[in-house]
């Protein structure tokens, strides 16, 4: 977790936003809301459109291209948005605004809102692993012990048997969680094959151990289970018309 | 040719004929591929080629500015040379069973007539009846001008045997110049559609707000036609704002008056003039309509203040007008994004 200077307070209009370069290599959108500042990724996760060209009312950020919207405080998607925004922790020293890069778990859809202590315990279970392009994470009928959080790269899923497999979707956003059979009681075996379409970095977390951590903090466990059920539902049913 | 499409949630297979655009082939198979304009400008139909070869029909398409990574292309401007595998970074679902399935076809251009100095109306006669939803558009290719352009239907009927359009003259626009310059009566054009999600259904059960600039009124006429056929305005209110520069640029005022006179209680229609004061003669000639001075989104914002309960908005017109209206509806009216419908053509 490194701290980076993004801009001065005076650079961000009241209840407005501004795109900034953090240390020259990372584009960040900084938004003001009353006395607070928030920072998130500068481009829309949908089509890479610059979010500073969008609309912001001091609470909700809207991409002007297809009206995806987010809560500026959390990056949580609202309405039509299909993906969250990656948010950064902001620190303000006098007039300077800094961001602290989030860990992969912090941006994971499954874990936003989970108590900090619980998140730290799950983090401690996570093993970071790198896979080459074409690397297989698991096969159909493998035991479903671990789940994964994507840190970078792209992972494809195949369902079926032997050479009669067909693609069943893919993951590409930092923080996306898959292999969630490891968090379910009734799914001891994998139902898909997961392959890296490009060089990918993943966090591997043991499902049983993670569940034990969540059982000790039922409030956080409830949040995770709610998220998990909506995540699974998303792959089952249409999200409705535009 | 077989096209394999990998979406975020699942995979699809569909067939594309030689010379058939990949987007059109997928949509005609009932797969709701991501798209907006269908004509190369918006960039929404971008995909990544995983394997196979494609031909790019319009390397200078404005929508290509949204392509950021190697292998990306616009499905609406590409044909497959053989079997292809592609990937879109969206969740993709099949169309609803009741959706009007888009298809390719031809039609004959009938009764072109100028409505103003730079707006032309015409009909396309179809060989076989077509179903479309109120607010949808077709993409059209005219003889000698390669590439499709999107135009909204202005009429609405079940099993339509003709489609009505209005087009504004665009200097330098190939299709628009062809429509304005030639002897076009009886000429044959290529069509694909219906397309677009800015659609109205009576089951909506909401008050409707329509904000249109110039020839964008076409899709709104279709929505009004359907709503009036169904007596929708007995139950729900309709507020229509039609923006033009001056009275000389206004058209459809008799038709709009007719709609208003059918439902004077709940349907309000306001013509916004951006470039001149409202002439006294306007209100005398069109007593059913209201007139106001200003840009159409400003006029709408003034008249609608405090009247945004249970509202679905339909927007159409030049992109800056649509953007300005979106800004008002999101920031001032606090409408949710799913209640703001439009199809952007750039």
């Amino acid at each position: 977790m490194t701290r980076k200077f993004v801009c001065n307070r005076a650079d961000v209009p009241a209840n407005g936003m501004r795109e900034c370069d953090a240390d020259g290599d990372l584009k960040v959108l900084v938004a003001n809301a009353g006395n607070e500042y928030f920072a998130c990724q500068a481009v829309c996760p949908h089509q890479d459109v610059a979010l500073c060209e969008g609309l912001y009312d001091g609470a909700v950020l809207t991409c002007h291209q297809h009206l995806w919207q987010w809560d500026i405080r959390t990056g949580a998607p609202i309405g039509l948005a299909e993906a969250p925004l990656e948010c950064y922790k902001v620190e303000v020293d006098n007039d300077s605004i800094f961001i602290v890069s989030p860990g992969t778990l912090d941006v994971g859809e499954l874990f936003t809102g989970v108590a900090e202590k619980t998140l730290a315990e799950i983090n401690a279970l996570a093993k970071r692993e790198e896979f080459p392009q074409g690397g297989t994470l698991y096969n159909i009928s493998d035991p479903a012990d671990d789940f994964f959080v994507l840190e970078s790269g792209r992972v494809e899923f195949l369902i079926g048997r032997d050479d009669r497999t067909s693609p069943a979707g893919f993951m590409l956003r930092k923080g996306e969680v898959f292999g969630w059979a490891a968090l379910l009681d009734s799914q001891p075996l994998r139902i898909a094959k997961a392959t890296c379409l490009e060089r990918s970095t993943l966090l591997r977390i043991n499902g049983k151990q993670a569940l034990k951590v969540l059982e000790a903090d039922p409030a956080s466990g409830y949040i995770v289970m709610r998220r998990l059920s909506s995540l699974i539902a998303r792959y089952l049913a249409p999200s409705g018309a535009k | 040719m077989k096209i394999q499409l990998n979406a975020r949630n699942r995979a699809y297979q569909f067939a594309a004929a030689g010379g058939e655009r990949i987007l059109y082939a997928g949509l005609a198979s009932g797969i709701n591929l991501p798209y907006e304009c269908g004509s190369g400008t918006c960039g929404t139909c971008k995909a990544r080629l995983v394997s196979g070869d494609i031909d790019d029909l319009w390397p200078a398409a404005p929508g290509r500015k949204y392509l950021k990574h190697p292998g990306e292309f616009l499905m609406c401007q590409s044909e497959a040379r053989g079997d292809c595998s592609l990937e879109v970074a969206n969740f993709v679902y099949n169309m609803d069973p009741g959706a009007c399935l888009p298809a390719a076809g031809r039609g004959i251009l009938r009764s072109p007539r100028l409505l103003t100095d730079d707006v032309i109306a015409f009909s396309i006669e179809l060989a076989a009846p077509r179903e479309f939803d109120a607010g949808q558009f077709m993409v059209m290719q005219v003889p000698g001008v390669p590439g499709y352009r999107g135009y909204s239907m202005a009429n609405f009927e079940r099993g339509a045997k003709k489609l009505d359009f209005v087009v504004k003259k665009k200097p330098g626009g190939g299709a628009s110049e062809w429509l304005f310059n030639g002897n076009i009566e009886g000429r044959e054009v290529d069509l694909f559609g219906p397309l677009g999600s800015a659609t109205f259904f009576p089951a909506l059960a909401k008050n409707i707000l329509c904000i249109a600039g110039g020839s964008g009124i076409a899709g709104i006429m279709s929505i009004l036609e359907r709503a009036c056929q169904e007596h929708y305005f007995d139950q729900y209110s309709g507020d229509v704002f039609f923006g033009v520069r001056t009275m000389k640029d206004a058209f459809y005022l008799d038709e709009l008056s007719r709609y208003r006179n059918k439902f004077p209680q709940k349907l309000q229609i306001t013509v916004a003039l951006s470039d001149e004061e409202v002439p006294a003669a306007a209100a005398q000639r069109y007593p059913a309509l209201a007139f106001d001075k200003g840009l159409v989104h400003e006029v709408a914002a003034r008249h609608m203040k405090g009247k945004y309960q249970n509202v679905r908005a339909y927007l159409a017109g030049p992109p800056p007008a649509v953007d300005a209206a979106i800004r008002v509806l999101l920031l001032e009216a606090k409408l949710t994004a799913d209640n703001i419908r439009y199809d952007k053509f750039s």
Side-chain angles (χ1 to χ4, degrees), chain B residues 115 121 154 165-166 217-218 221 242 250-257:
Chain B
L115 297 181
F165 298 96
V166 278
I217 194 70
M221 294 303 281
F242 177 24
F251 52 96
Y252 278 161
L253 299 191
D254 290 324
E255 289 84 345
L256 288 167
S257 296

Side-chain angles (χ1 to χ4, degrees), chain B residues 266-301:
Chain B
K266 294 213 164 182
L267 178 60
Q268 309 292 329
I269 300 174
T270 306
V271 180
L273 305 178
S274 61
D275 289 13
E276 71 176 5
E277 295 299 330
V278 178
Q284 280 161 19
R285 192 162 160 211
Y286 301 102
L289 307 179
F291 294 85
D292 201 349
K293 164 93 201 280
L295 292 168
V296 65
H297 69 278
E298 297 167 353
V299 171

Side-chain angles (χ1 to χ4, degrees), chain B residues 13-42:
Chain B
Q13 275 100 24
F14 57 92
E20 189 177 17
R21 292 163 190 243
I22 293 173
L23 176 70
Y24 299 174
L27 292 173
S29 314
I31 303 165
N32 220 344
L33 296 176
Y35 75 93
E36 205 161 5
C37 72
S39 52
T41 59
C42 74

Side-chain angles (χ1 to χ4, degrees), chain A residues 70-177:
Chain A
W70 303 268
D71 181 343
I72 196 70
R73 289 168 178 272
T74 60
I78 303 172
L80 305 174
E82 289 177 5
L85 284 185
E86 181 174 349
C87 288
Y88 303 90
K89 210 171 135 204
V90 170
E91 291 175 1
V92 182
D93 276 355
N94 298 316
D95 278 339
S96 303
I97 299 174
F98 298 86
I99 55 161
V100 183
S101 294
T104 305
L105 273 190
D106 300 334
V107 303
E109 289 176 76
L110 203 51
F111 297 104
T112 37
V114 166
E116 235 166 86
K117 181 174 160 283
T118 302
L119 196 60
E121 285 174 36
I122 294 174
N123 238 321
L125 298 174
K127 289 183 254 195
R128 178 169 284 107
E129 294 181 2
E130 288 220 356
F131 291 85
Q133 179 180 1
T136 299
L137 301 174
Y138 51 78
N139 264 300
I140 294 163
S141 298
D142 280 0
D145 297 335
D146 302 327
F147 66 99
F148 297 86
V149 184
L150 187 68
E151 194 163 84
S152 68
R154 210 150 49 103
V155 176
E156 179 190 51
F157 303 94
L158 298 166
I159 49 171
R161 242 167 231 294
D162 307 320
D163 54 350
R164 299 222 306 270
T165 56
S166 67
F170 55 96
M171 296 282 167
L172 44 71
R173 292 193 181 103
K174 181 177 176 182
E176 280 192 300
V177 177

Side-chain angles (χ1 to χ4, degrees), chain B residues 128-132 157-162:
Chain B
R130 275 289 182 115
E131 296 294 344
F132 63 91
E157 56 191 305
R158 281 276 163 243
K161 290 193 88 169
K162 84 175 172 64

Side-chain angles (χ1 to χ4, degrees), chain A residues 4-7 17-23 25-31 38-43 52 86-88 90 97-99 101:
Chain A
K4 289 177 175 171
F5 171 77
V6 278
C7 63
M17 59 177 171
R18 183 200 160 108
E19 185 185 290
C20 305
D21 286 315
D23 271 4
D25 60 342
L26 177 70
K27 285 207 186 307
V28 174
L29 189 79
V30 182
F38 299 95
C40 61
Q41 64 187 86
V43 294
C52 61
E86 181 174 349
C87 288
Y88 303 90
V90 170
I97 299 174
F98 298 86
I99 55 161
S101 294

Side-chain angles (χ1 to χ4, degrees), chain A residues 167, chain B residues 3-14 29-33 84 86 88 90-95:
Chain B
I3 311 290
Q4 154 105 21
L5 176 100
N6 301 340
R8 295 251 289 152
N9 49 332
R10 56 164 285 194
Y12 294 86
Q13 275 100 24
F14 57 92
S29 314
I31 303 165
N32 220 344
L33 296 176
C84 280
L86 33 126
V88 293
N90 297 63
F91 286 76
V92 173
Y93 302 100
N94 281 302
M95 288 178 195

